[in-house]
């Protein structure tokens, strides 16, 4: 099986090399780029920079803009197959350094296809840096300046809360998979950017949800991806999870759901996503105060 895979890689690489040798001048032009993007945020940035037509394949987290749904998928960015990527015959592959397995990187490198592995910092400054790096690498001039302005404009409208609401993010894939986001996660960074405070403290990354921890954290608001809330069959399904109904969020049905890539991608829409979450938190807090009065 391994021998078949290696032969497949070599054949694809040879095919790619032959095609390139006949049109070297064309391959250096921006129009000739055939990009496979291995990350939803990178895909958004490429499209915002005017490279949408050059993308020929993406990973499954690349859900925006909607046109990306029509392209071939090469798997999730943390579980990629080099064979699927190479079979699309790209001449440029872009991904996030830490997401892609080293073996996959080596297999791609053996074909000679140009690759760009990037670092991503989950912050507004990190987003701006990622946009600048991609724009500079592809020689895309000053297009990045307009995108950065679109990030800052919504952030200027954020409301400051006198008492930041405690927000608990739950990653759900049905009742069988329920995880809470701890410190240094993308959603924790987004909660902070939007003026809230993460209700889950004292641990990094994600850990399984327990009813005891849920009651102890007692969030004012529970935040989920829209796909996660749907997997629980909506608000009523979420309320049936042990411990939820005993929290302030459960008592007030203070639930927020947002698209996963939009909420946690830290791409060109990061300012817009932060403002939308900020406004939803403000609305729920106002409703809660009105009920108390």
């Amino acid at each position: 099986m391994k021998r078949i895979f290696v032969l497949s890689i070599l054949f694809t690489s040879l095919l790619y090399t032959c095609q390139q040798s006949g049109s070297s001048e064309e391959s250096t032009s921006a129009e000739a780029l055939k990009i496979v993007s291995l990350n939803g945020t990178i895909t958004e940035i490429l499209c915002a920079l005017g490279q949408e037509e050059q993308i020929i394949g993406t990973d499954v987290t690349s859900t925006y803009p909607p046109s990306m749904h029509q392209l071939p998928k090469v798997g999730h960015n943390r579980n990629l197959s080099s064979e699927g990527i190479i079979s699309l015959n790209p001449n440029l592959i872009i991904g996030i350094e830490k997401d892609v397995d080293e073996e996959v990187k080596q297999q791609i490198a053996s074909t000679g296809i140009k690759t760009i592995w990037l670092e991503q910092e989950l912050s507004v400054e990190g987003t701006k840096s990622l946009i600048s790096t991609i724009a500079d690498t592809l020689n895309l001039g000053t297009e990045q300046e307009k995108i950065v302005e679109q990030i800052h404009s919504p952030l200027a409208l954020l409301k400051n809360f006198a008492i930041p609401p405690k927000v608990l993010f739950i990653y759900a894939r049905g009742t069988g998979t329920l995880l809470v986001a701890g410190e240094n996660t993308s959603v924790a960074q987004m909660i902070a950017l939007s003026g809230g405070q993460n209700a889950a403290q004292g641990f990094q990354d994600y850990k399984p949800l327990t009813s005891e921890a849920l009651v102890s954290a007692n969030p004012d608001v529970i935040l989920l991806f829209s796909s996660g809330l749907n997997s629980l069959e909506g608000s009523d399904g979420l309320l049936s999870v042990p411990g939820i109904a005993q929290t302030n969020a459960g008592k007030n049905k203070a639930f927020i759901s947002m698209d996963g890539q939009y909420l946690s991608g830290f791409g060109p829409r990061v300012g817009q996503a932060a403002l939308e979450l900020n406004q939803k938190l403000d609305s729920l807090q106002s409703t809660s105060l009105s009920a108390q009065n």
Side-chain angles (χ1 to χ4, degrees), residues 112-176:
I113 299 173
K114 182 178 180 180
T115 57
I116 301 174
W117 304 120
L118 301 167
E119 302 288 340
Q120 182 183 21
E121 178 189 318
L122 299 172
S123 66
V124 171
E125 290 305 311
T127 299
K128 290 162 56 179
S129 176
L130 191 60
I131 292 169
S132 295
T133 300
I134 294 174
D136 292 344
T137 302
L138 299 183
N139 296 316
L140 298 177
T142 60
E143 287 296 317
Q144 55 187 291
E145 295 175 3
K146 290 186 289 186
I147 304 172
V148 169
E149 176 58 31
Q150 290 168 3
I151 291 174
H152 280 292
S153 296
L155 293 176
L157 302 176
L158 289 175
K159 179 177 179 177
N160 291 319
F161 298 108
I163 302 176
K166 288 201 299 180
V167 183
L168 182 72
F169 176 81
I170 298 178
Y171 176 88
R173 285 295 175 268
T175 54

Side-chain angles (χ1 to χ4, degrees), residues 18-140:
C18 290
Q19 290 174 336
Q20 291 301 298
S21 64
S23 57
S24 59
E25 290 186 5
E26 182 184 2
S27 67
T28 58
S29 67
E31 290 75 21
L33 280 177
K34 294 186 295 181
I35 304 171
V36 170
S37 171
L38 305 181
N39 178 275
T41 301
I42 289 176
T43 300
E44 281 197 44
I45 292 172
L46 286 168
C47 292
L49 290 169
Q51 300 303 297
E52 186 172 340
E53 295 298 321
Q54 277 64 52
I55 301 173
I56 62 169
T58 70
D59 76 317
V60 298
T61 70
S62 298
T63 57
Y64 187 86
S67 59
M68 294 297 104
H69 289 291
Q70 307 303 318
L71 295 179
K73 299 300 179 186
V74 297
H76 192 279
N77 58 10
R78 297 179 188 276
N79 186 26
L80 294 166
S81 159
S82 59
E83 192 172 13
I85 299 168
I86 295 165
S87 68
L88 296 179
N89 194 28
N91 53 22
L92 177 61
I93 298 168
I94 308 181
I96 297 296
E97 172 78 39
K98 67 179 180 58
D99 286 351
V100 183
D101 184 82
E102 286 300 323
E103 184 177 355
V104 172
K105 290 178 186 173
Q106 292 173 11
Q107 290 166 347
I108 292 173
S110 71
T111 68
I113 299 173
K114 182 178 180 180
T115 57
I116 301 174
W117 304 120
L118 301 167
E119 302 288 340
Q120 182 183 21
E121 178 189 318
L122 299 172
S123 66
V124 171
E125 290 305 311
T127 299
K128 290 162 56 179
S129 176
L130 191 60
I131 292 169
S132 295
T133 300
I134 294 174
D136 292 344
T137 302
L138 299 183
N139 296 316
L140 298 177

Side-chain angles (χ1 to χ4, degrees), residues 132-276:
S132 295
T133 300
I134 294 174
D136 292 344
T137 302
L138 299 183
N139 296 316
L140 298 177
T142 60
E143 287 296 317
Q144 55 187 291
E145 295 175 3
K146 290 186 289 186
I147 304 172
V148 169
E149 176 58 31
Q150 290 168 3
I151 291 174
H152 280 292
S153 296
L155 293 176
L157 302 176
L158 289 175
K159 179 177 179 177
N160 291 319
F161 298 108
I163 302 176
K166 288 201 299 180
V167 183
L168 182 72
F169 176 81
I170 298 178
Y171 176 88
R173 285 295 175 268
T175 54
T177 302
L178 293 169
L179 304 171
V180 292
E183 300 166 13
N184 291 324
T185 56
S186 59
V187 285
Q189 300 287 4
M190 178 54 76
I191 290 168
L193 181 61
S194 304
Q197 57 173 317
N198 189 7
Q201 300 289 330
F203 64 93
Q204 308 284 316
D205 206 16
Y206 287 80
K207 75 175 188 179
L209 174 72
T210 65
S211 56
E212 294 80 8
L214 189 57
V215 174
S216 176
N218 193 22
D220 301 309
V221 177
I222 292 177
L223 174 66
L224 304 95
F225 291 155
S226 300
S227 57
L229 186 59
N230 289 339
S231 77
L232 296 172
E233 300 183 355
S235 298
D236 289 342
L238 177 59
L239 271 172
S240 70
V241 174
I244 295 285
Q246 284 70 53
T247 65
N248 287 339
K251 293 171 184 173
N252 297 317
K253 294 187 178 180
F255 307 141
I256 296 174
S257 64
M258 295 173 65
D259 175 79
Q261 174 62 27
Y262 177 52
L263 177 66
S264 63
F266 276 82
R269 297 180 293 163
V270 61
Q272 183 183 338
L275 178 59
E276 182 173 328

